Every structure is written in C-alpha cells, then in structure tokens.
Amino acid sequence: MAGGQQGEGTPPGRAGRLGPWLVAAVAGALYAVLSCLRHERYLSGMDLAIFGQVARRVASGEAPYSEMKGADYLIFGDHLHPVVLLLGVPWRLWGDPRSLLVTQAVCVAIAVAIVGRLAVERLGTRLGLLLTVLLALSVGVQAAVVFDVHEVALGAPLVALAGADFVRRRWNRTAIWVALFPLVKEDMAVLVLGFALALLVAGRRRLAAALAVWAGVALVLALRVIIPALNPRGIYPYSGTTSVAPQHVWDSLVADGRGSITVLVLVASAGLLSLRSPLVLAAAAPLGLRMASSNDSYWGLDYHYSLLPAVVLACAAVDGLARTRSQALLRATVGLSVAVAVWAVWTGPLVDEVERQLTPCARCADARAALDQVPVGAEVAADDHLAPHLLADRTVLHVHPNYTDEETRRPEWMLLDRRTDTGRNAHGRAWSEELVEHSIEEDGYELVWERAGYVVLRR
C-alpha cells in the first residue's frame, strides 16, 4: 500500500474507526494500573502531592492552594497552568490521589487515539494501527505515565488535535488548538512558536505571524505579570535557576551525549520520514530549548518532558509517510520505528514497573503502619514518597533536604524515611538523619514510632 492511498479516497472501515480507540483503551488501562500500583509501593512523589492538594481544594470550591509549596501558596504563583483546575472533577468523583493517576492515563490514551485515527485515515488500517501501537509504547509516553502527575499530560489531547488538524491542512482549526496551549503551562508558548514555524513553512504566513506574536505575549504575561502577581514573594520562582545558552547545546548533544540520544530516539521512534513534514519544526522548538538549558534533567528521556514532542512527531510521521510513494523507503522507516519501539519496551520504565510488581514490597506494610500513626485531620510534614498518601484527609507540608535551613512553620506531626532517596542537603549530608536529630534536639519533637527506617515525630 502506498503512503496516503486510503486517506485520499477510501474511508476507513469498522476496524479502522474503532481500532485506534481499542489500542488506546488497552494502553490507557495499562498506564492506569501500573501507575496506581507504583503509587501503592510508595514510589509516587511531590508532584502528585501538590496536584492532589490542588484537586482537593478545587473539588471543595476553594482556591487552588498547595501547602506542599508553602503557607498560603496559590499554585498559579508557581506555574501558570489553568488546566490543573480540571483535576477537581476526578477528585470530586473519587477523593484519592489515584484518581489523578487514572485521569492522566486517560488523557494520554485519548491523545494516542486521536493520532491513531489520523494514521488510519491517511495510511490505511494496518499501518495506521501499527503506528498507534508504536506511539502508545514510545519511550516519551512510557516515561510520562509512570512519573507522578503533570499538567502536560492533561494537554496531550490538545496537542494531538493540533497536530492532526495540521496534517489534514485544517489551518484555522490548527491555530485555534495551538492558541490554547498556554492554558496548559506557561512554557507551552515555546511549542506555540514551534507550530508557528511549521505553519510558516507550510505557507500560512498570517497564521504563523499571529501565533508567533501570541507566543511572545503569553510568555511575557505569564513570567513578568501573572505569576509574580500571584507568587507570595512577588517573583517568578524559577528565575535564575536555569540558564539557556549555546554552550549548553554542546554540553547536552556532545560532551554529555544524552541530548543526542534523546533526539535520535524520539525521531527514530516516530520514523525518519517524519523529517519530511513541516510539523517536525513544532517538536524541534521545545527540544531545542531543552538542549540549550543548563538543567541536565531536561536532556534525557526520563520524566515527562518527551511526552508532547513524541505526540507531535507521531503526527509528523503520519504526514511524512503519507507523502512517500516509495514502498522500500516506507518499509525501512517503519521497520526502524518498530525496532526502536521494541528496544523502548525492553529497556523502558514499563517493563521495569512490571518486574517491580512481581517482587515483594519489603517495606510497604511498614509505610502503611507509619501513616496510621498520624490522625485524620492532623497537620503533618512528610517525605516526598509518603506525602501523597496523607493528603486526602490531612494537611501535608513538605520536608526536603534543606528543611532545617528555611523559615517555615513546624507542624505537630512529622513523618520521615531515614532511607529516603530524595537527595542530600546543601551541606552534602544525608538529610533525613540530620532532620530527625535536629527536630528532636532543637524543635521540641519526640520520637513516638519507628520501624524499618520510617520515623514518626510529634511535638
């Protein structure tokens, strides 16, 4: 079958219409189950706790504050991501952090289905469904769904709609979807700029110019006006924490090398023929910014940073394949994508999570026992991995490596893990041990319970 044959004539049959949704449903169920099981093993962390507090407040008709960020900390003083207000809906239905994990899985699955429908429409049922599976199993998707909850996952269907309408040459609809990106997060303005570049190459100069201007306006308003106005300290809290410079491009792509691996894996996963589509420029913009950042956590394939580029590149792949008449070239690029997908599954986080679930959890019962020591309704400061399990019916504050160095309120209860993997403090010491000692000696806490490294303090 030549690229684009079915999409230009024959509408997809029943398998083509329902297949992408079936693949997405299976993938979404897998995402949801694994992320919830991961949560049950106390592997979720601070981000889930923050968004859980926001969801709980919004579901109760309150302003979206998060005690994890600080006292009276309005969440939009940290990042401007109005889309997180939607998390109040699943929390209202099921007042548990796992409701947010399921919601994230559903949103990612919807994005997969949207791209899958496009692939079937343009490339035919068999190839379209294959590309749907490849996106569902891509490393960008895998890494996102097993790492807490993030607003970019809620925006994945929006990005998929924009990419699909770009491929269908529905330019005005594409522009409308893209203009909504800053509602997901302020740095989505960079993806808006990427789509503007793609539209410019596609010959839609006016739309490209309008979106480019909007990207700049949205970013300036967020960083200079809205976030500082809502921040307790009157600032953009991440100003100065990360720099962007050409030197970092060398560092990420060459000296360190993780950036090159990230770009190659994402492009090869989507298919090298994605480079034939102007839409590849939309993914290039956020990827380029990541590679130019001094924050090396942006360079690799971990976390949620590659989710949206993976969705955009999947749409670009559909476009590139539909432009191709060479069967040999088509088979080669699809074969490479399949090989990368097999590698991503074999070495990726989903297999790691499945293997983890097959082994006994040595300390889960001890963690649950520690949580039970803190009464419902109490105010408690907790370690990253314990906090999400307390937030449904307690007020949870954040303890972290530099907790003792900061001016912050000390709650009645404190729940710590002596074996925490959340880093070291500014002095280079294992911080949990130091915090236990400091809290007892300086802050008037008493050790009321301890087992398997978990510590409960009260004052």
Side-chain angles (χ1 to χ4, degrees), residues 27-90:
L30 176 64
Y31 304 152
V33 169
L34 286 180
S35 58
C36 287
L37 289 174
R38 187 173 185 273
H39 174 72
E40 288 302 302
R41 284 182 169 241
Y42 300 90
L43 295 171
S44 51
M46 181 181 178
D47 291 328
L48 179 58
I50 290 171
F51 290 123
Q53 289 180 330
V54 169
R56 178 185 174 187
R57 284 184 171 270
V58 171
S60 300
E62 302 174 23
Y65 287 94
S66 172
E67 296 86 355
M68 289 287 291
K69 295 299 299 182
D72 300 321
Y73 202 113
L74 190 66
I75 195 63
F76 299 141
D78 185 53
H79 287 295
L80 186 60
H81 38 25
V83 72
V84 302
L85 296 175
L86 298 177
L87 293 175
V89 176

Side-chain angles (χ1 to χ4, degrees), residues 182 186 188-194 196 209-220:
E186 72 275 1
M188 290 279 284
V190 178
L191 189 55
V192 176
L193 183 59
L211 286 176
V213 170
W214 169 233
V217 170
L219 192 61
V220 170

Side-chain angles (χ1 to χ4, degrees), residues 310-329:
V311 172
V312 174
L313 286 171
C315 293
V318 173
D319 193 22
L321 289 168
R323 296 166 183 261
T324 301
R325 294 296 179 264
S326 168
Q327 290 293 298
L329 191 58

Side-chain angles (χ1 to χ4, degrees), residues 249-272:
V249 176
W250 172 268
D251 293 338
S252 63
L253 297 180
V254 181
D256 181 89
R258 278 179 292 165
S260 295
I261 294 173
T262 295
V263 173
L264 290 174
V265 168
L266 289 176
V267 173
S269 179
L272 295 179

Side-chain angles (χ1 to χ4, degrees), residues 118-202:
L118 172 73
V120 167
E121 171 190 311
R122 292 286 169 173
L123 304 172
T125 299
R126 285 184 295 178
L127 183 54
L129 289 180
L130 175 60
L131 293 186
T132 308
V133 173
L134 294 180
L135 175 59
L137 297 178
S138 67
V139 66
V141 171
Q142 288 187 52
V145 297
V146 297
F147 179 54
D148 281 11
V149 165
H150 296 90
E151 61 281 280
V152 296
L154 305 183
L158 187 63
V159 173
L161 287 169
D165 278 333
F166 185 99
V167 175
R168 294 183 178 112
R169 311 298 189 260
R170 297 172 180 172
W171 308 119
N172 291 334
R173 287 179 54 167
T174 300
I176 292 172
W177 298 130
V178 173
L180 296 176
F181 286 179
L183 296 178
V184 177
K185 195 178 180 184
E186 72 275 1
D187 60 8
M188 290 279 284
V190 178
L191 189 55
V192 176
L193 183 59
F195 267 88
L197 290 173
L199 286 167
L200 179 63
V201 172

